[in-house]
Amino acid sequence: MRPLASLLAGVILLGAVPAARAAESAADFPSRPIRVIVPFTSGSGSDSSARYYGEALGKLLGQSVVVENRPGANGVIGIQALKNAPADGYTILLASNSPMSVNPIVMKNLPYDPLNDLKPVAGLSRNMNVFITAPDSPLKSMADVVAAARQGNGLPVATYSAGYQLAAAWFANLAGVRFVNVPYKGQAQIMTDIMGKQLQLALVDTGGALTLIRQGKLRALAVSGEQRHHDMPDVPTVRELGYPDYKQYSWVSFYVRAGTPDDITDKLAGAMQRILKTPESLAFMQAKGSDLMPYPPREMRAFQQAEIDRFRRVAAAAGIHAE
């Protein structure tokens, strides 16, 4: 019996070593730089949020935070980069509604499960979408957009993720017209091409477009929120133009890979809650024309599930199927 008892004691001891190391890593976390992956190009509202919150997180935790843009495939490339990283909290994904709530509805054979492969850390913010065109475009209103879309085989509309594509298709369905999606990797190039008159119309994030709209370099035709945007009081909502069911917000949040120890996730989540409650975070979001969305992990997970359910209803109403 003694050999067996010794063997069992050794197994127990060996099992305790990883647990002790995990506890030590959580206590010392972070002991090296943290990476934040953004699945969109620089210049987007998501990118600016990642850089602001990454810097704030680094200052609070005493480590540098590096932002890495991994655009492409509607966010899939960025999420794959997270999945390929160790589940240790040193790689964070800034995710948006497109890869986390829309891709499961519009993409077949998705190489990740947004609910089971990633763990929420914190909700960050939400933003209305805005239909934009060039200041001297003949499209001066959404009525002009609808009229133009009724001519020919549809009106090209630029978007840069599945969420915007779905939102644009939803409006087209409500208006009884057809849009032709023109996919981009990021918002910055869309706005450049709109100003250069290579495109007539786009649906983008208000946060990334607000400065150019204020400067008169872009024209805002309509916003997607429940009420008018406080920084664009003269721009109507889509709802008030005769489409009362239309409401759309883009949102961003932080995630880590599933399997990341709970105590490390909790440490990151606690730090983000402290950051989100500061006057500086509120001022940053107000300057972007965004609303804070300071959801802790459990609340963020419930919100994400509700968004998947909502987008599924939107896709069904717009006749959009997974491709």
Side-chain angles (χ1 to χ4, degrees), residues 20-78:
R21 288 177 179 168
E24 289 173 1
S25 66
D28 297 335
F29 179 87
S31 59
R32 52 189 170 85
I34 294 173
R35 177 174 57 148
V36 175
I37 295 173
V38 181
F40 304 110
T41 58
S42 60
S44 66
S46 297
D47 179 70
S48 63
S49 293
R51 294 180 187 279
Y52 173 81
Y53 286 114
E55 182 179 1
L57 185 63
K59 288 180 179 178
L60 185 59
L61 295 180
Q63 283 290 338
S64 61
V65 174
V66 179
V67 175
E68 182 179 320
N69 296 93
R70 289 288 194 95
N74 284 332
V76 173
I77 291 175

Side-chain angles (χ1 to χ4, degrees), residues 87 90 132 224 255-256:
Y90 284 95
I132 59 169
S224 65
Y255 287 81
V256 291

Side-chain angles (χ1 to χ4, degrees), residues 6 37 43 52 66 79 102 111 140 150 172-173 175 179 193 207 212 222 227 267 274 287 296-297 307 312 315 318:
S6 299
I37 295 173
Y52 173 81
V66 179
I79 292 178
V102 179
K140 301 183 184 302
R150 286 183 175 145
N173 177 261
F179 284 165
D193 287 354
L212 293 173
Q227 299 175 339
K267 190 169 186 177
R274 288 176 60 187
E307 283 286 273
R312 186 172 286 115

Side-chain angles (χ1 to χ4, degrees), residues 41-48 130-135 157-160 164 182 184-220 288:
T41 58
S42 60
S44 66
S46 297
D47 179 70
S48 63
V130 58
F131 285 96
I132 59 169
T133 189
V157 180
T159 66
Y160 68 98
Y164 294 102
V182 183
Y184 277 69
K185 288 185 177 181
Q187 178 163 322
Q189 189 60 50
I190 289 178
M191 296 188 297
T192 297
D193 287 354
I194 287 283
M195 291 186 289
K197 300 180 182 178
Q198 295 171 279
L199 292 168
Q200 273 195 296
L201 183 69
L203 181 62
V204 297
D205 171 69
T206 56
L210 189 57
T211 297
L212 293 173
I213 292 171
R214 287 169 173 163
Q215 293 172 349
K217 296 179 180 180
L218 295 172
R219 176 191 290 153
K288 284 166 51 71

Side-chain angles (χ1 to χ4, degrees), residues 45-244:
S46 297
D47 179 70
S48 63
S49 293
R51 294 180 187 279
Y52 173 81
Y53 286 114
E55 182 179 1
L57 185 63
K59 288 180 179 178
L60 185 59
L61 295 180
Q63 283 290 338
S64 61
V65 174
V66 179
V67 175
E68 182 179 320
N69 296 93
R70 289 288 194 95
N74 284 332
V76 173
I77 291 175
I79 292 178
Q80 290 291 76
L82 176 69
K83 286 184 63 180
N84 291 334
D88 56 9
Y90 284 95
T91 303
I92 300 173
L93 175 78
L94 183 131
S96 72
N97 53 296
S98 288
M100 301 310 294
S101 294
V102 179
N103 282 359
I105 298 163
V106 301
M107 295 179 66
K108 286 184 178 179
N109 304 317
L110 197 65
Y112 65 91
D113 184 325
L115 292 173
N116 294 316
D117 289 345
L118 299 95
K119 291 174 64 175
V121 172
L124 301 179
S125 65
R126 73 171 193 172
N127 238 351
M128 300 181 193
N129 302 160
V130 58
F131 285 96
I132 59 169
T133 189
D136 57 351
S137 168
L139 302 177
K140 301 183 184 302
S141 67
M142 292 306 291
D144 291 340
V145 168
V146 172
R150 286 183 175 145
Q151 301 174 5
N153 294 320
L155 182 66
V157 180
T159 66
Y160 68 98
S161 69
Y164 294 102
Q165 180 181 356
L166 181 56
W170 184 20
F171 173 82
N173 177 261
L174 292 174
V177 298
R178 179 173 177 265
F179 284 165
V180 178
N181 186 60
V182 183
Y184 277 69
K185 288 185 177 181
Q187 178 163 322
Q189 189 60 50
I190 289 178
M191 296 188 297
T192 297
D193 287 354
I194 287 283
M195 291 186 289
K197 300 180 182 178
Q198 295 171 279
L199 292 168
Q200 273 195 296
L201 183 69
L203 181 62
V204 297
D205 171 69
T206 56
L210 189 57
T211 297
L212 293 173
I213 292 171
R214 287 169 173 163
Q215 293 172 349
K217 296 179 180 180
L218 295 172
R219 176 191 290 153
L221 300 180
V223 294
S224 65
E226 297 169 282
Q227 299 175 339
R228 294 192 179 198
H229 196 287
H230 52 78
D231 285 319
M232 296 183 285
D234 296 331
V235 179
T237 66
V238 172
R239 292 164 69 103
E240 68 186 271
L241 295 176
Y243 308 94

